[in-house]
Amino acid sequence: MNILVINGPNLNMLGIREPDLYGKADYAALVQLVEETCAQEGIEVEIFQSNHEGAIVDKIQEAYGKKDGIVINPAAYTHTSVAILDALKAVSIPAVEIHISDVSQREDFRQISYAGKACIKTFMGLGLEGYRQAILYLKDYLEKQ
Ligand code: CA2
């Protein structure tokens, strides 16, 4: 099993500000958690972060025919990007959406998730643990396919 984990804009700044919303752990800790989870589960993983919408679209397209599943936190692009939604639909790779914070309890403009419309499941409000849950859910889903 070979998965791609995508993180959108500003997630590379984790741990630097807004610990109340996103916790104290930094981006390196997120990468470590994903790598450790995947190693334990026997999953091959590629982790990608970009601040650029087009780069994320390119990465999703590159996954076509190569990756079995995608875990994605599109960050702010969650609420704006039809391009990322279309890319996920185009490749038709099972994808799980994850948000560190509980976006359902935040501003009105965060209540729409475009990417989420192409995802089989969304985890939110669990901090970095949400990435572990998303990977385990995706593994279980792919094994049952
Ligand atoms: O809760 C999440 O994971 C989000 O995807 C995080 C995004 C936000 O735009 C989404 O609505 C929810 C923000 C990414 C990280 O932003 C930072 C801001 C300041 C300091 C560190 C990270």
Side-chain angles (χ1 to χ4, degrees):
M1 191 178 293
N2 192 342
I3 70 165
L4 173 63
V5 176
I6 298 176
N7 285 302
N10 297 310
L11 284 164
N12 55 317
M13 300 293 280
L14 276 179
I16 293 171
R17 280 184 48 243
E18 305 210 67
D20 294 350
L21 274 173
Y22 303 121
K24 286 184 188 153
D26 61 9
Y27 187 71
L30 190 167
V31 168
Q32 193 182 345
L33 180 143
V34 168
E35 284 177 348
E36 279 176 7
T37 303
C38 289
Q40 279 162 11
E41 299 297 324
I43 301 169
E44 233 180 280
V45 66
E46 179 183 1
I47 306 169
F48 176 76
Q49 190 276 329
S50 178
N51 296 324
H52 305 279
E53 185 176 17
I56 294 170
V57 169
D58 287 344
K59 199 70 193 176
I60 293 168
Q61 288 186 10
E62 277 169 29
Y64 183 68
K66 295 189 188 125
K67 307 289 181 187
D68 303 308
I70 295 174
V71 170
I72 185 164
N73 183 348
Y77 290 140
T78 305
H79 319 298
T80 63
S81 181
V82 177
I84 291 174
L85 167 62
D86 286 346
L88 289 169
K89 281 186 170 173
V91 298
S92 198
I93 297 169
V96 176
E97 178 185 27
I98 187 262
H99 296 288
I100 296 167
S101 64
D102 184 356
V103 285
S104 74
Q105 300 300 313
R106 297 183 64 188
E107 302 94 327
D108 285 353
F109 64 84
R110 295 185 206 271
Q111 299 313 309
I112 176 83
S113 169
Y114 290 100
K117 294 179 188 296
C119 291
I120 56 171
K121 173 93 175 162
T122 297
F123 291 89
M124 62 171 76
L126 301 172
L128 295 192
E129 167 65 15
Y131 284 85
R132 207 176 69 82
Q133 298 284 324
I135 291 163
L136 296 179
Y137 185 92
L138 185 58
K139 182 188 178 202
D140 191 51
Y141 178 91
L142 292 171
E143 281 173 350
K144 285 180 180 149
Q145 262 196 335

